[in-house]
């Protein structure tokens, strides 16, 4: 009987709305890009996409997709191990392994699935998972699906991590799990220290490079490149849904036997469809583009530096970042929403975040920079931030 549930849901939805947490979608009627057109006809500069390298509408990826569409069809209608593997899927897995200097790679429909399917096949109630408190929801869900003992350490806090590793010595195997870049502050995981502790306390290391791959490190190979540790991390997960074209798809890459076991036992791999050929082909193209030249990575890094230095000059309070995520701190929930609205009127699309997405009294505007932004886009955004900042008495 729907009746009771309907009333219950209506109430819950009302509560969500009254708390100001109701999520609405904004309709875009152009390709994803630095400049987008929204349903109202307004053209805005986009500073809230994960389109870090500006590849979402890049002609090379579009052509690679069209070519695959013509040559390999539209969909696979199968999971990988039955009849859902084409040459493009294997090529993409090999390309990802080469990019991250790893032994093997397994594709998933998303990084959510990669994380969801990682723990349960490898760890049992004899083992320990030691996880950063700010890890992505998909890691948290993946850990929940596994019977291993859970330990949580404070965000990027290596002293706390060491305490948890000491406690976890009773277990058979240990794995330390962390995001490479944390999505709200843009800080990176202290991978050098984490690797030291992993050695000292005999633990595996798994890094989710979703926000860092393509972004962090001179060549965009993520935090393992930043710390000169390419090929040393046991397992990396990542997404094709952010820097690498933004379509869909995820992967787990790392030690050969681990990847092999995931192919045998990882449920999202065994029970969910293959990514389409065109997405696999464009994925290969995206990684190849980054291997050919550093142009996009360099441009992104220059853009981040330029934006942050100009914003600090103007007197804004910016969280220290080592990624393309720049948190402009406002410390007031209402102000963050008002600020974002005013910026939209100025043609700048950003998102304001507040509790419970970020800690209480740490409301902010999150700006995501991209190699797709030109200097004039950045200048326009900075100008708008200053104009609204003066109006709202933030600076
Ligand atoms: C975005 C993100 C994911 C999810 O990736 P999808 O491919 O979109 O499912 C997983 N982990 C982290 C850290 C992310 O930022």
């Amino acid at each position: 009987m729907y009746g009771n549930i309907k009333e219950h849901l209506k109430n819950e939805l009302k509560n969500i709305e009254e708390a100001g947490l109701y999520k609405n979608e904004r309709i875009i009627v152009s390709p994803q890009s630095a400049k987008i057109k929204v349903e109202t006809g307004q053209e805005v500069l986009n500073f809230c996409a994960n389109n870090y390298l500006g590849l979402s509408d890049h002609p090379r990826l579009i052509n690679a997709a069209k070519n695959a569409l013509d040559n390999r069809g539209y969909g696979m209608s199968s999971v990988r191990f039955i009849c859902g593997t084409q040459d493009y899927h294997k090529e993409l897995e090999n390309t990802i392994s080469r990019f991250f200097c790893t032994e093997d790679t397994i594709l998933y429909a998303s990084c959510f699935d990669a994380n969801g399917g990682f723990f349960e096949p490898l760890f049992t109630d004899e083992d320990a998972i030691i996880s950063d408190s700010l890890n992505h929801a998909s890691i948290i869900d993946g850990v929940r699906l596994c019977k291993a003992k859970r330990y949580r350490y404070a965000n990027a806090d290596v002293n706390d991590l060491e305490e948890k590793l000491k406690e976890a010595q009773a277990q058979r195997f240990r794995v330390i799990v962390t995001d490479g870049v944390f999505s709200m502050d843009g800080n990176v995981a202290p991978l050098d220290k984490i690797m030291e502790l992993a050695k000292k306390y005999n633990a595996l290391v798994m890094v989710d490079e979703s926000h860092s791959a393509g972004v962090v490190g001179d060549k965009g190979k993520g935090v393992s490149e930043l710390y000169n540790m390419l090929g040393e991390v046991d397992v990396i997960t990542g997404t094709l849904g952010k820097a690498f074209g933004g379509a869909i798809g995820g992967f787990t890459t790392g030690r050969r036997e681990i990847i092999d076991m995931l192919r045998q036992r990882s449920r999202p791999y065994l029970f969910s469809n293959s990514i389409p050929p065109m997405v696999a082909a464009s994925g290969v193209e995206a990684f190849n583009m980054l291997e050919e030249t550093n142009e996009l990575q360099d441009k992104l890094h220059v853009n981040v530096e330029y934006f942050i230095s100009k914003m600090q000059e103007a007197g804004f309070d910016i969280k220290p970042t080592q990624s393309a995520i720049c948190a402009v701190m406002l410390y007031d929930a209402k102000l963050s929403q008002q600020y974002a609205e005013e910026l939209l009127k100025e043609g700048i699309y950003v998102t304001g975040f507040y509790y419970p997405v970020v800690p209480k009294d740490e409301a902010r505007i999150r700006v995501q920079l991209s190699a797709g932004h030109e200097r004039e886009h950045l200048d326009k955004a900075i100008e708008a931030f200053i104009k609204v900042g003066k109006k709202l008495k933030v600076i």
Side-chain angles (χ1 to χ4, degrees):
M1 279 300 295
Y2 184 46
N4 292 343
I5 299 180
K6 179 176 169 135
E7 278 315 303
H8 167 75
L9 293 177
K10 275 172 93 172
N11 274 332
E12 285 290 294
L13 286 164
K14 206 168 119 235
N15 291 342
I16 293 172
E17 210 167 347
E18 280 168 8
L21 298 173
Y22 193 86
K23 291 173 188 66
N24 283 303
E25 295 173 345
R26 267 182 221 279
I27 314 292
I28 298 170
V29 295
S30 67
Q32 184 61 280
S33 194
K35 193 187 267 178
I36 54 173
K37 194 168 168 187
V38 294
E39 206 178 19
T40 57
Q42 191 191 8
E43 280 202 343
V44 296
L45 294 177
N46 193 356
F47 284 87
C48 55
N50 303 313
N51 184 18
Y52 293 123
L53 295 172
L55 293 178
S56 299
D57 64 340
H58 197 284
R60 276 184 65 176
L61 300 203
I62 293 169
N63 283 332
K66 280 181 177 165
N67 191 30
L69 201 50
D70 288 341
N71 292 307
R72 296 287 186 283
Y74 175 66
M76 290 310 298
S77 305
S78 171
V79 298
R80 285 288 301 279
F81 79 95
I82 297 181
C83 54
T85 302
Q86 283 177 340
D87 45 358
Y88 284 138
H89 297 91
K90 289 320 289 182
E91 195 182 343
L92 178 55
E93 288 177 341
N94 293 334
T95 302
I96 291 172
S97 303
R98 272 199 306 277
F99 188 80
F100 291 103
C101 307
T102 48
E103 292 171 358
D104 199 3
T105 299
I106 175 174
L107 296 176
Y108 289 87
S110 67
C111 187
F112 204 105
D113 277 349
N115 289 332
F118 175 70
F119 300 97
E120 188 258 348
L122 300 170
F123 305 105
T124 72
D125 55 6
E126 290 181 80
D127 305 316
I129 300 169
I130 304 144
S131 179
D132 189 289
S133 62
L134 290 190
N135 277 344
H136 190 264
S138 54
I139 293 178
I140 294 167
D141 285 8
V143 171
R144 278 186 188 145
L145 293 172
C146 167
K147 294 202 165 66
K149 189 158 169 51
R150 298 158 207 180
Y151 297 87
R152 209 171 91 120
Y153 64 97
N155 176 231
D157 182 338
V158 288
N159 294 322
D160 196 22
L161 170 59
E162 183 160 18
E163 288 311 307
K164 300 298 183 304
L165 280 164
K166 282 179 188 164
E167 286 175 39
Q169 288 305 297
Q171 272 87 38
R172 179 183 61 164
F173 303 133
R174 283 154 292 284
V175 58
I176 304 168
V177 187
T178 181
D179 282 11
V181 160
F182 296 93
S183 64
M184 285 300 141
D185 287 6
N187 58 317
V188 306
L191 190 63
D192 50 346
K193 306 268 173 36
I194 289 174
M195 294 293 280
E196 249 177 66
L197 289 172
K199 223 172 259 168
K200 187 169 169 191
Y201 292 96
N202 193 19
L204 289 171
V205 175
M206 188 267 232
V207 181
D208 179 342
E209 297 263 26
S210 287
H211 277 292
S212 38
V215 174
V216 173
D218 288 342
K219 296 187 173 131
K221 299 193 179 197
V223 290
S224 60
E225 184 196 349
L226 185 70
Y227 287 101
N228 279 319
M229 291 183 153
L230 271 175
E232 291 178 43
V233 175
D234 299 294
V235 179
I236 290 169
T237 60
T239 181
L240 303 176
K242 292 189 170 109
F244 302 105
I248 191 106
F251 57 85
T252 303
T253 188
R255 306 277 181 212
R256 188 174 308 287
E257 298 73 19
I258 292 177
I259 303 303
D260 205 7
M261 185 54 79
L262 294 175
R263 282 191 208 283
Q264 309 312 312
R265 300 250 172 94
S266 182
R267 293 165 71 84
Y269 173 84
L270 294 174
F271 298 108
S272 190
N273 202 30
S274 278
I275 60 169
M278 58 185 162
V279 171
S282 303
V284 171
E285 188 75 356
F287 282 98
N288 284 345
M289 283 176 71
L290 297 204
E291 296 277 26
E292 277 166 29
T293 122
N294 273 0
E295 236 170 80
L296 294 175
Q297 301 93 310
D298 290 348
K299 190 173 169 199
L300 174 61
H301 296 149
V302 169
N303 281 354
V304 172
E305 259 175 54
Y306 180 79
F307 183 81
I308 288 179
S309 71
K310 291 285 172 190
M311 289 289 285
Q312 281 174 334
E313 238 171 72
F316 286 101
D317 180 359
I318 309 284
K319 276 245 183 194
T321 180
Q322 286 176 282
S323 64
I325 290 167
C326 172
V328 183
M329 300 307 293
L330 297 170
Y331 303 102
D332 181 277
K334 221 170 132 193
L335 179 62
S336 71
Q337 299 309 292
Q338 201 182 355
Y339 211 117
E341 254 170 58
E342 292 285 337
L343 282 170
L344 193 62
K345 285 185 204 152
E346 301 293 326
I348 306 298
Y349 187 15
V350 290
T351 317
F353 289 101
Y354 56 100
Y355 184 80
V357 180
V358 294
K360 270 215 165 88
D361 304 319
E362 284 202 28
R364 69 198 58 190
I365 302 260
R366 182 177 72 174
V367 177
Q368 289 176 283
L369 295 148
S370 167
H373 292 135
E374 302 301 335
R375 186 56 61 88
E376 62 182 278
H377 298 147
L378 301 177
D379 285 334
K380 200 172 163 219
I382 294 157
E383 213 176 282
F385 259 102
I386 292 172
K387 184 173 166 192
V388 174
K390 283 183 175 152
K391 183 172 165 189
L392 299 178
K393 303 198 166 28
V394 169
I395 50 167

